[in-house]
Amino acid sequence: MAYVKVAWLGRGAIHTNAAPQRCKRRLITLVLAGLLAGCAVGPDFRRPAAPETENYTATPITAQTESAPTQLGQAQEVMVGLPTDVQWWHSLRSPALDSLIAQAFEANPTLASASATLRQAQETYAAKAGATEYAQINAGFGAQRQRFNPDAVGLAGGAREFNLYDASVSVHYNLDLAGANRRALEALAARADYRRFELEAARLTLAGNIVNTAIAQARLAAQLEATGAILRAQEEQLGVARERLRLGQAAPDEVQALVAQVEQTRAELPALRKQLQQSKHLLAVLAGRAPGASAGPSFTLTDFTLPAKLPLVVPSELVRRRPDIQAAEALLHAANAEYGVAVAKLYPQITLSGSLGSQALTAGALFGSGSAVWSLIGQLTQPLFNPGLPAEKRAALAAFDAAAANYQGVVLEALRNIADTLRAIENDARGLAALAAADTAARQSLQSVERQYQLGTVGYTEVLIALQQAQRSRIAVTAAQAQRLVDSSSLYQAIGGAS
């Protein structure tokens, strides 16, 4: 709020005869200038300081992960400041995935809703700006039939009836001395920013969901194939055991144990098919299609490439690029401005209005000479006793405190998100290396047993058991391969997508 200090010439001062008049005019000018130039009350918004920490975890993160001698097992390097493509999912090198995400951005209803909500917020701001930043000018025309009875006011004469026509142009303007309107506009602009960041977050989340669901579909397809191979081997082993039982070379308990094993594996297949089918349904809906509209793409792990280099940003940059943090900051900005609105209500409000028009008893004389009428109105309102206004101010301050706490929580959650993802990238790479070594050993064992079977030193049952072990090892490796892809996708999402 601007204050004007005015010096007045008192008695005994040396001045000319015209000095008092000039001083009065200056006083009026200064007061009016001070009123018209009043700034908005309440604190101006300042962006929250960036986190002081420079690290995401208490112990250093290994810059390069461990490699494994298998598909999707190459080492990855995490680099601070590495530029990121806006379409970060291109780093997975899957044209089918790129096409599906592009389609989703055009047809996904969640994105369409977020986009419409943003337009609503922008138009709400435009409406408020048009209603408060400029004078309101209205034109009016009216006609009425009146009956006047002089006896009612103690005058002589009979009752008379006449028509009255009027046309006018009126102007209304709020000086907004304390800046309530400006703070309200500031709050609406901040809420429009919030909706914009919400839309960016929705895009980032949608892309991440499609990527992760496509990877899950590829993993489930591989696991379903390996489980089917295990079941076929177990059924063949059961057939051998039943033949041995018929020949008296096996006990019934051995056959029953194999029957239980076969049925347990068989029960795994419907669960895997259900998950695979549900992933296809989810991909269709994310892309804005009905699940039964079309089959859609089918993904395998060979469709993806593991990014060799992954980007990372320092915490001070993270808070300026993650859309959820920026959205929380926009809400904090809005709360700050709304507190200013509550404070401004405690200050004087001045409204100016005026009208120019004409009135006549006939429509033809409406614009003739002598029919002109005009009015000028200035209104000053100063709250003297309104207990609700201080309470409203305290409520707005409490809302600001809540928004500040919410912002802090969002920042901390984002830091935890990146810390978890970095540790996942590091440990899942090691896990895949161990599982790849176990898978190599299982395949080598299967080859050894097959050679021994060809030489007649072991029976066919041993071959089937080794085959099952190799397939189960393959299932574990498949899950670890898919997890490495998910970890890479999660890091892109955690840092806020593109730079």
Side-chain angles (χ1 to χ4, degrees):
M1 183 71 179
Y3 294 90
V4 179
K5 184 178 181 181
V6 180
W8 180 258
L9 292 177
R11 291 185 179 181
I14 300 176
H15 56 82
T16 64
N17 293 333
Q21 297 298 325
R22 289 199 301 271
C23 191
K24 290 179 182 179
R25 287 197 297 270
R26 289 173 182 171
L27 173 62
I28 295 173
T29 302
L30 286 173
V31 171
L32 291 176
L35 292 174
L36 293 174
C39 62
V41 297
D44 290 332
F45 178 71
R46 295 183 179 179
R47 301 188 71 178
E52 296 180 358
T53 179
E54 297 181 358
N55 302 312
Y56 291 102
T57 59
T59 56
I61 297 291
T62 305
Q64 186 162 337
T65 63
E66 187 174 345
S67 63
T70 185
Q71 180 191 4
L72 303 175
Q74 61 267 36
Q76 290 180 302
E77 185 177 4
V78 180
M79 302 178 62
V80 175
L82 183 69
T84 309
D85 188 2
V86 174
Q87 299 175 323
W88 53 267
W89 50 90
H90 285 178
S91 62
L92 300 178
R93 309 282 181 84
S94 173
L97 179 65
D98 298 342
S99 176
L100 187 63
I101 293 178
Q103 180 182 354
F105 280 175
E106 293 292 331
N108 182 267
T110 301
L111 282 190
S113 175
S115 180
T117 304
L118 171 59
R119 294 198 306 272
Q120 178 189 12
Q122 292 171 336
E123 294 302 333
T124 300
Y125 171 83
K128 181 68 174 179
T132 58
E133 288 188 324
Y134 305 98
Q136 304 300 303
I137 303 177
N138 300 300
F141 178 83
Q144 55 182 306
R145 178 73 173 174
Q146 290 189 3
R147 177 183 176 87
F148 177 70
N149 190 350
D151 293 339
V153 293
L155 299 177
R160 288 176 290 176
E161 295 182 356
F162 58 92
N163 297 326
L164 182 64
Y165 300 89
D166 65 270
S168 64
V169 175
S170 61
V171 180
H172 178 87
Y173 184 66
N174 189 322
L175 290 181
D176 194 27
L177 301 181
N181 291 337
R182 278 166 283 173
R183 288 300 190 200
L185 284 175
E186 184 182 348
L188 288 175
R191 293 197 176 276
D193 288 339
Y194 168 72
R195 295 302 183 184
R196 176 166 57 85
F197 293 129
E198 264 197 337
L199 176 59
E200 292 180 10
R203 287 178 175 272
L204 183 63
T205 300
L206 176 61
N209 287 341
I210 292 177
V211 169
N212 293 342
T213 304
I215 295 170
Q217 183 187 110
R219 171 182 59 80
L220 290 167
Q223 290 178 339
L224 184 62
E225 180 182 351
T227 303
I230 292 174
L231 178 61
R232 290 190 294 272
Q234 290 177 343
E235 289 175 336
E236 193 170 355
Q237 182 182 357
L238 176 60
V240 172
R242 283 173 172 167
E243 182 63 21
R244 291 176 60 240
L245 176 64
R246 187 182 68 81
L247 297 175
Q249 298 176 355
D253 291 345
E254 178 184 349
V255 174
Q256 292 302 319
L258 288 175
V259 170
Q261 187 179 50
V262 166
E263 296 307 322
Q264 288 174 354
T265 303
R266 195 189 311 278
E268 295 177 12
L269 293 177
L272 288 173
R273 289 195 191 98
K274 179 185 72 174
Q275 295 179 54
L276 180 60
Q277 292 162 354
Q278 288 176 342
S279 70
K280 292 182 178 180
H281 299 163
L282 178 56
L283 282 179
V285 171
L286 291 175
R289 304 191 314 266
S294 60
S298 295
F299 293 96
T300 63
L301 289 177
T302 57
D303 294 332
F304 302 101
T305 300
L306 191 70
K309 296 181 179 180
L310 294 174
L312 185 64
V313 296
V314 295
S316 58
E317 183 182 348
L318 177 72
V319 298
R320 305 298 184 226
R321 62 181 285 165
R322 263 187 67 134
D324 58 341
I325 298 179
Q326 292 176 304
E329 181 181 320
L331 289 180
L332 181 62
H333 189 174
N336 182 84
E338 288 166 354
Y339 173 71
V341 173
V343 173
K345 292 181 179 180
L346 300 171
Y347 285 76
Q349 306 291 324
I350 294 182
T351 303
L352 300 178
S353 59
S355 64
L356 175 64
S358 63
Q359 287 184 342
L361 298 177
T362 63
L366 188 59
F367 299 103
S369 60
S371 63
V373 295
W374 58 268
S375 67
L376 290 176
I377 301 174
Q379 182 177 1
L380 171 65
T381 304
Q382 170 61 56
L384 297 180
F385 179 74
N386 188 342
L389 294 181
E392 186 175 342
K393 175 184 173 183
R394 293 192 298 271
L397 183 59
F400 175 82
D401 292 339
N406 175 71
Y407 175 83
Q408 183 181 11
V410 172
V411 171
L412 290 176
E413 186 63 23
L415 296 177
R416 184 191 67 83
N417 184 201
I418 290 189
D420 288 349
T421 303
L422 290 173
R423 287 305 185 193
I425 290 173
E426 186 178 47
N427 290 298
D428 289 341
R430 293 173 180 171
L432 177 59
L435 289 172
D439 181 61
T440 300
R443 285 188 283 106
Q444 291 175 349
S445 176
L446 174 61
Q447 293 172 359
S448 176
V449 171
E450 287 176 340
R451 286 195 298 269
Q452 294 178 48
Y453 173 72
Q454 291 173 358
L455 295 174
T457 57
V458 298
Y460 188 58
T461 300
E462 282 74 8
V463 175
L464 294 175
I465 293 174
L467 176 61
Q468 295 173 48
Q469 292 175 343
Q471 291 296 333
R472 292 200 179 280
S473 178
R474 178 190 170 195
I475 291 176
V477 169
T478 297
Q481 290 171 329
Q483 188 58 49
R484 290 206 69 189
L485 290 171
V486 170
D487 291 342
S488 300
S489 169
S490 298
L491 183 60
Y492 281 112
Q493 296 177 72
I495 64 174
S499 57

